[in-house]
Amino acid sequence: EDTVTLRVGVLAPFELPVQEILDFQSAYPEYQIETVTFEDQNELNLAIASGEDLDLLQADEIDTTRYEKNDVVINLDAYLNEDNDLSSAAFYTKLWDMTRQDNALYTVMTGFTIQGLYGPRGTYGDEQSMSLEEFRQGAENSRFYETTVRENAITWLCSVAGFDQEGALSQEGQEELSQILDLCKGFPTNFEQVDFEISGADLPFQWLNLSSLPAVLAVENQGKTLWQTSELDFLGYPVSQGLAFTTTRSYGIFSTSSKQAEAWTLLRYLLLSGNEDSGIPMRRPTEVPLLDQLVSQVSCQALGYASPILEIIQEEATPCFDGDKTPQEAAEVIVNRVHIYIGEQQ
């Protein structure tokens, strides 16, 4: 009767980090972790509405806005503020702060990826932005690292396409979205992976996509001289600037849980373990100063607020790429579907 069972809701096909969970249960033998897998968010919503006994939510690929607004998950600030081991000196708390809703932190990521475009300072003027045509020209001359051109171009461009929090897109934004789709039609679906190389030959900009500490270490080793001797800017389109990031392994604690303190014990362990199986750990490594520099320049979260919107964009972009719809038609369908999706979440 002394066993503590924590039930963690997970959206398929994602899973809990197996080795970290095993290590946690070894360190805390009185705890048992039970995974409750849901096929989609609708199934998860039904479980929440029916009062299913859940303690934590793995929020990967889930738009948690409605959960946060309706107090389905608790504000975690009290736990963070009372724990000296989770201070800004040890963690990338800036990234946590950028995921706040109404000045409260309801989910905490244990890892992240970082991505963006970079080039020499002053290439695009004081605003550090570029036009679609400049993006097209740069893409034709750029090197890409461990990525597919079309997928990442869509991700980056649509993350700043102009959807507001109500899912609306201005007429100008809709026209830009159709231009983005038309632009990406010219990119190959796949691109041969190349070793990361920092070289002026490929500028005016290059794509930076880091998803693990080894990748960061490679940048640190290969780009050390350039970073110390050259001035580089991180560029945005069309008005954003800097780097973007995406969350990996984010968790929230359900307000209906009777074991909130115990749930925090697990979440705290995952934060402190610093495992890099999925993304760069939020725990700040002392041997990678370049990563500190990159995080300090992050200015927007990739896709803004809802990964399902990216799924809508990519799904509706396919007929455009296949020639079955014009970019304008695809953009109109995307706008309508996003608006409906946001309405359902509210």
Side-chain angles (χ1 to χ4, degrees):
E1 57 258 17
D2 294 329
T3 299
V4 177
T5 300
L6 295 177
R7 304 184 82 235
V8 186
V10 179
L11 204 64
F14 298 94
E15 300 176 346
L16 294 180
V18 176
Q19 189 57 52
E20 283 181 285
I21 296 300
L22 291 175
D23 292 343
F24 171 77
Q25 292 181 148
S26 177
Y28 295 85
E30 70 275 21
Y31 279 74
Q32 292 295 319
I33 308 302
E34 180 181 341
T35 302
V36 185
T37 302
F38 300 96
E39 291 302 316
D40 54 39
Q41 194 163 346
N42 288 331
E43 186 178 341
L44 170 63
N45 291 340
L46 288 174
I48 294 172
S50 64
E52 181 165 343
D53 182 21
L54 294 169
D55 300 300
L56 290 110
L57 171 67
Q58 187 186 78
D60 291 354
E61 300 299 313
I62 294 177
D63 178 9
T64 59
T65 304
R66 186 168 62 175
Y67 302 157
E68 295 161 347
K69 288 182 177 179
N70 292 282
D71 298 321
V72 175
V73 289
I74 66 173
N75 182 357
L76 298 172
D77 280 317
Y79 289 106
L80 290 170
N81 295 337
E82 293 173 3
D83 196 324
N84 293 330
D85 291 333
L86 304 178
S87 67
S88 58
F91 284 81
Y92 292 113
T93 53
K94 175 188 177 182
L95 300 185
W96 287 341
D97 290 342
M98 293 183 73
T99 62
R100 288 183 177 277
Q101 295 288 339
D102 299 326
N103 202 33
L105 191 63
Y106 294 96
T107 60
V108 173
M109 72 187 89
T110 62
F112 65 96
T113 63
I114 194 166
Q115 58 189 315
L117 304 171
Y118 71 90
R121 188 178 301 278
T123 300
Y124 297 101
D126 295 337
E127 293 184 355
Q128 296 179 287
S129 61
M130 66 187 74
S131 67
L132 272 169
E133 184 57 33
E134 288 169 330
F135 184 92
R136 180 194 296 273
Q137 292 173 355
E140 291 174 350
N141 299 316
S142 291
R143 300 283 296 278
F144 287 76
Y145 167 60
E146 291 185 355
T147 187
T148 57
V149 177
R150 183 183 291 173
E151 177 182 347
N152 278 278
I154 292 175
T155 302
W156 175 260
L157 294 175
C158 290
S159 70
V160 289
F163 288 103
D164 62 23
Q165 292 298 316
E166 303 300 323
L169 192 65
S170 66
Q171 182 62 40
E172 180 182 0
Q174 186 167 339
E175 292 173 358
E176 288 186 344
L177 183 57
S178 65
Q179 293 179 52
I180 289 170
L181 294 173
D182 189 42
L183 166 71
C184 294
K185 282 180 65 176
F187 293 166
T189 303
N190 297 305
F191 192 87
E192 182 180 356
Q193 292 188 2
V194 296
D195 293 332
F196 188 83
E197 178 182 342
I198 298 181
S199 167
D202 295 319
L203 299 177
F205 67 81
Q206 292 188 37
W207 184 274
L208 177 70
N209 184 9
L210 300 176
S211 59
S212 68
L213 275 179
V216 176
L217 287 168
V219 175
E220 182 78 21
N221 295 333
Q222 298 180 35
K224 185 175 181 180
T225 302
L226 182 65
W227 278 91
Q228 289 177 343
T229 59
S230 300
E231 292 185 330
L232 298 177
D233 278 334
F234 288 92
L235 314 169
Y237 161 82
V239 294
S240 299
Q241 59 183 2
L243 294 160
F245 75 100
T246 53
T247 66
T248 60
R249 298 252 169 92
S250 290
Y251 298 88
I253 298 176
F254 283 104
S255 57
T256 54
S257 170
S258 61
K259 299 177 286 243
Q260 293 179 4
E262 292 83 352
W264 174 252
T265 299
L266 171 59
L267 181 47
R268 182 181 186 275
Y269 180 89
L270 295 176
L271 284 168
L272 290 172
S273 67
N275 189 286
E276 59 177 279
D277 285 346
S278 178
I280 302 170
M282 284 295 297
R283 195 172 187 176
R284 177 180 283 123
T286 58
E287 72 277 12
V288 191
L290 177 58
L291 186 53
D292 281 342
Q293 180 181 350
L294 295 177
V295 171
S296 71
Q297 297 181 72
V298 168
S299 61
C300 63
Q301 182 177 353
L303 195 59
Y305 53 91
S307 57
I309 292 178
L310 177 58
E311 294 178 7
I312 292 172
I313 292 171
Q314 292 178 329
E315 181 179 333
E316 297 300 338
T318 300
C320 173
F321 298 148
D322 292 341
D324 298 328
K325 287 183 180 178
T326 67
Q328 293 77 13
E329 291 170 337
E332 184 175 349
V333 173
I334 288 171
V335 170
N336 291 336
R337 283 193 59 187
V338 169
H339 185 70
I340 292 171
Y341 171 77
I342 295 295
E344 290 174 344
Q345 299 311 300
Q346 295 175 339

